[in-house]
Amino acid sequence: MKKHVQLIVFLLVTSLGWGQVITSKGTVLDLRNNSPLPGVSVLVKGTNKGVQTDFDGKFILPNIPKGATIQISFIGYKTQEVAAVASPLVIQLEERAEQLEEVVIIGYGSKGKKDLTGAVSLVGEKTITDLKPVDAAQALQGTTAGVSVNTASGAPGSGFNILIRGISSNRANGPLIVIDGLAGANLNTVNPNDIVSISVLKDAQAAIYGIQGANGVVLVATKSGKKNAKTRITYDAYTGLQETSRKLDYLNANEYALLLNESYAANGQSLPFPDLNAIQQNTDWQDQLFTTAFMMNHNIGISGGTDKITYYVGLSRLEQDGIIAPDKSNFERNNVKLALGIDLSERIKFKSTTNYFTNTRRTVAENVLGSVLFNALNYAPTFATGQEDTAGFLGNEVINPLSQVRDTYNTYFGSSIEGSVALSYEPIDNLKITTRLGYKTYNDKGKTFLPIVNYGSGKVFNRARSEVNQSRTNANNYNWETFVNYKLTFAEDHTIEATVGASMQKSWGDGLFATGYDVPNNSWDFADISLTTGTNTIKTNGSYVYDNRLLSQFGRIQYDFAGKYLVSAMIRRDAASDFSPQNRVDYFPSVTAGWKLSDEEFMKRWKWINFLKLRGSYGILGTNAGGNLFRAQLNGEAAYVLDNAIVNGIAVGTLPNPNARWERGKKLDIGLDANLLGNRLELVFDYFREDRNDLLIPNVPVSGIVGAQAPGSGSPTVNAGSTRVHGFELGLKFNDTVGEDFSYNVAYNITRVNGEVTQINGDVFIEGGAFGVGQLAPARMEVGQPIGYFYGLQTAGVFQTVAEVNNSPSQRGLLGIDAVPGDLKYVDVNGDGVIDFKDRTNIGNPQAEFIMGLNLSFNYKNWDFSTYMYAELNKDMVRNYERDQPNVNRLSYYLNRWRGPGTSNEVPRVTTGATNNRLFSSFYVEDASFLRVQNIQIGYTLPKKVLEKIGFSKLRIYTTVNNAFTLTNYKGYDPAATSGQAIGGGIDYGFYPISRQYLLGLNVAF
């Protein structure tokens, strides 16, 4: 009996103890320096009850069971659990190796960075914040090994070209962009301030995207709210001024006049400037064209959440004027971002993201012969700012650039709504079913007005009739996916994660464009087709429509044994409407593996090695460049006889190829990841190789009886080529803290890329690009050479004497002109004793061999400093902004021209007579290696005590210089610029220079 009474008393006391409710208080500190941590999440485990620590790291949790488990978590620190007690708690959080704990999106799932088996790079929110990019693609420049990011123009609103591990295809080389699950998105529609992270899949890991993954995949995750978080409002803004980052060194009026006099005298002509003292003008047309421009950006973020709902609202507006004619060259972008997450139940969750985007843009002519900058560089400094070349002194293709800007009228407006809606269901633990709809619809309209103008006799820019061109387009992209993720751990050491799913994508749209003639009053105010009164004998309108579809199934299984041995296998089946039914379906398998050597017992003695992993991958991926080649297009020309009269009509254009299929890339990667010296040093190394097969080669010769020689027709495009690209990547990051007040971070990456064409059926080659007017194509794709290499004459200095000319092969085989002393000396490459166009050879490569980035950041107390640098080495560019006319202005290097034996062996003589010197040769190809300091930023954050008084959680003031300076020997405006073409890229027609930006900014949170 006594034992029973004791048991009852014990159970009663125990139940009372467990039922006791207490208030738990405490302080959360940084273990390293005992400083308080504000904003730490303190949650009663297994419930939705929780709070955040205040400015002093303190928290109060009322009415919780005594002995309950309290979970303390904070970004950058290891999560800790303690038992709730009535006495005050002091909790010290330990910093974690952040780079290993980062979660990386890998497509239809995510993975801890330490468990990755593929070559994946991550750019975080801090980097984007530091760089302040107008376009999110800029955040990848110099920060991500293996990735080059360049633009074709520094004009406001210009997009960027992204290359991952070089050029493998003669067609499209840009990666697939996926934003919040929407495949086929564009980075320039997203406000960079709304981005949390950007992941780049560079190897066979991208095979989960099959036909779209061969050029790599860029995965973007945008911001969302947090559960059990108070409403947080942030305001980020900057404003500043822009100026040109470079001006070219051209001749002034006296230098120009002397050069022309010499040029005329060399051809026995009268001097154009017999009296230099009579020259009244010395106009620097670059100074007249470039100006200081304004830009500003405002961002507002509102986020928070309850135990079941999270939300984020982002509002932004960007205004950027051009450094050339800001009233005619400018860009505006507006974004409204909404992210919403709702727990419909414990196992059913809803998530949506929506981005509404508008942009308005005006432009001036750029990067073409006859652009505004082209005219500014070639127009004579002896002309006044308002003076036209009415007599045609400068030729028929060069006009006053200020007049050209005055007569430029255009506008563009586009709007888009894009996002995704997802529903996930967990019927049992570790099994998650997700269905997601990604959507995007984009509409735009454009208008260009060409007024009646007369710039002088015979000018090609003269226009006797005014006209207005208008267009409207609509583009849609929908992507519905359903996939299942399952994770199973068994026998303690074995873990399997499986993903299986299906995807359906549809892209469709249409466009309409037309031209109207004779605009009333020759005025922009009346520039609308509905008001025009004239007609034309040629067709003045057109339209297009497209509808492409992709049906896919995919699967991935990841196996982890003892946390040390990792294997992942993927396969995707794609069926694309871009190709004929018999070539529509294909399979894309891949496998990746990893071995964490640092977890092995034999590695434990190496204390300075904190983490070491070997990994490798191999897979087959595709790219659907060149779709619809199996369909005949009515875009050829033909003449028909109707009623005994010849009538011009249309016919089949380029011959169709029903056997065309997509390109396939076989990717190999061997990598090593290491964290050393107490996780202060991170090292990532990769060797990569890709063999791209089934390249689509245009105009492969076929039988003449099929009619490929008819006007507008051509031989079909066939799968008839292969390339190989290989190289290595090395990334190093080092961070450390000195004392309590100073910390620093250094990051460096280098990539080497080499590529060549390994096979083209029929020994054909592809030409592209343009140099001057009427010259042979300067770029080629050919077996044994890199794609798009420069093909021209090789120079060997300048002829000095008549004897040297006589002892050299004749150049009459070029243009029928004999060389004389002072002319460029060309190399007889084929050794046949004659210089002709058969002596053209490889004279340069527009693709950089080395890509590097160096990023530095320092923090001292409340001050912070960061700088980002980017470099490309061993690349070439073609100087094509100089016009071949006798009276145009010239670069100052002509001051070092040949004027007699021994005066110059680099720059040829000047003359108005005919020579071979203007033919495309290595004289016009320059080393375009460069180092650019693309960002310098200094900031100051107000101390915590001050913030408490004014009611803010953060207030930071900073100043930034973007595109601070560029070190290069290239004579043009921007050695980093490129048209983005695989064949013809790197040819400079007068690239619009990027602007140097001086910004003053503010970050506020409360």
Side-chain angles (χ1 to χ4, degrees), residues 345-365:
S345 70
E346 289 186 3
R347 296 192 177 273
I348 302 176
K349 298 180 180 180
F350 170 84
K351 183 178 181 181
S352 73
T353 63
T354 303
N355 176 45
Y356 176 70
F357 157 83
T358 69
N359 73 106
T360 302
R361 191 180 183 208
R362 295 181 177 86
T363 60
V364 296

Side-chain angles (χ1 to χ4, degrees), residues 606-646:
W606 307 101
K607 301 298 183 182
W608 55 278
I609 300 178
N610 305 104
F611 179 77
L612 181 64
K613 177 179 65 180
L614 289 175
R615 51 181 168 76
S617 67
Y618 180 80
I620 299 174
L621 301 87
T623 171
N624 58 345
N628 294 315
L629 294 173
F630 71 100
R631 292 189 173 98
Q633 303 290 325
L634 290 174
N635 54 7
E637 302 175 19
Y640 301 90
V641 178
L642 298 176
D643 295 332
N644 296 319
I646 297 178

Side-chain angles (χ1 to χ4, degrees), residues 970-991:
Y970 180 62
K971 296 183 182 70
Y973 282 114
D974 188 359
T978 177
S979 64
Q981 296 174 306
I983 307 172
I987 299 176
D988 189 350
Y989 302 92
F991 287 119

Side-chain angles (χ1 to χ4, degrees), residues 655-666:
L655 298 181
N657 176 15
N659 296 319
R661 56 178 292 133
W662 46 68
E663 301 172 0
R664 293 163 61 89
K666 298 179 180 179

Side-chain angles (χ1 to χ4, degrees), residues 523-833:
S523 170
W524 170 250
D525 295 332
F526 296 89
D528 191 273
I529 291 177
S530 64
L531 300 177
T532 56
T533 58
T535 58
N536 204 323
T537 56
I538 62 174
K539 187 177 180 181
T540 60
N541 58 65
S543 64
Y544 67 85
V545 63
Y546 67 92
D547 187 342
N548 301 318
R549 306 180 187 194
L550 180 66
L551 178 63
S552 310
Q553 296 84 36
F554 53 87
R556 176 176 60 213
I557 186 166
Q558 302 172 85
Y559 172 70
D560 177 335
F561 174 66
K564 294 186 291 186
Y565 312 107
L566 314 169
V567 178
S568 175
M570 289 161 276
I571 189 167
R572 179 161 175 144
R573 177 189 184 273
D574 280 321
S577 66
D578 293 339
F579 300 89
S580 61
Q582 65 267 30
N583 290 325
R584 187 161 288 175
V585 177
D586 206 351
Y587 295 83
F588 301 95
S590 74
V591 61
T592 67
W595 177 21
K596 296 181 186 176
L597 283 83
S598 53
D599 288 351
E600 300 289 355
E601 285 299 322
F602 64 82
M603 293 293 297
K604 300 299 183 182
R605 59 177 176 168
W606 307 101
K607 301 298 183 182
W608 55 278
I609 300 178
N610 305 104
F611 179 77
L612 181 64
K613 177 179 65 180
L614 289 175
R615 51 181 168 76
S617 67
Y618 180 80
I620 299 174
L621 301 87
T623 171
N624 58 345
N628 294 315
L629 294 173
F630 71 100
R631 292 189 173 98
Q633 303 290 325
L634 290 174
N635 54 7
E637 302 175 19
Y640 301 90
V641 178
L642 298 176
D643 295 332
N644 296 319
I646 297 178
V647 178
N648 292 325
I650 60 175
V652 174
T654 300
L655 298 181
N657 176 15
N659 296 319
R661 56 178 292 133
W662 46 68
E663 301 172 0
R664 293 163 61 89
K666 298 179 180 179
K667 290 179 177 282
L668 169 70
D669 187 282
I670 299 173
L672 179 146
D673 301 331
N675 280 55
L676 313 171
L677 307 176
N679 288 311
R680 288 175 295 173
L681 175 63
E682 177 186 1
L683 181 151
V684 179
F685 176 84
D686 284 272
Y687 166 79
F688 59 87
R689 189 185 75 197
E690 178 187 359
D691 291 304
R692 185 71 64 90
N693 302 315
D694 295 328
L695 297 183
L696 290 160
I697 309 299
N699 295 317
V700 174
V702 295
S703 172
I705 65 174
V706 298
Q709 304 304 315
S713 185
S715 298
T717 297
V718 302
N719 298 101
S722 301
T723 62
R724 169 169 287 187
V725 174
H726 61 95
F728 70 83
E729 299 172 3
L730 174 64
L732 298 170
K733 293 182 181 179
F734 186 85
N735 65 86
D736 199 6
T737 300
V738 180
E740 297 183 358
D741 298 326
F742 182 77
S743 63
Y744 63 95
N745 184 290
V746 180
Y748 171 76
N749 65 78
I750 180 173
T751 304
R752 183 183 183 185
V753 182
N754 285 297
E756 67 172 326
V757 180
T758 55
Q759 176 249 333
I760 299 179
N761 295 355
D763 294 326
V764 299
F765 52 82
I766 306 175
E767 294 183 314
F771 180 81
V773 177
Q775 294 204 40
L776 298 174
R780 275 193 174 187
M781 173 183 175
E782 189 175 10
V783 173
Q785 303 288 353
I787 292 179
Y789 78 99
F790 298 134
Y791 186 70
L793 297 168
Q794 179 67 53
T795 61
V798 174
F799 286 115
Q800 301 296 316
T801 64
V802 173
E804 186 179 3
V805 173
N806 293 336
N807 291 328
S808 300
S810 171
Q811 295 188 5
R812 179 169 282 273
L814 295 170
L815 298 177
I817 302 170
D818 288 319
V820 299
D823 285 341
L824 290 173
K825 183 179 182 180
Y826 296 123
V827 177
D828 181 14
V829 173
N830 60 9
D832 63 359

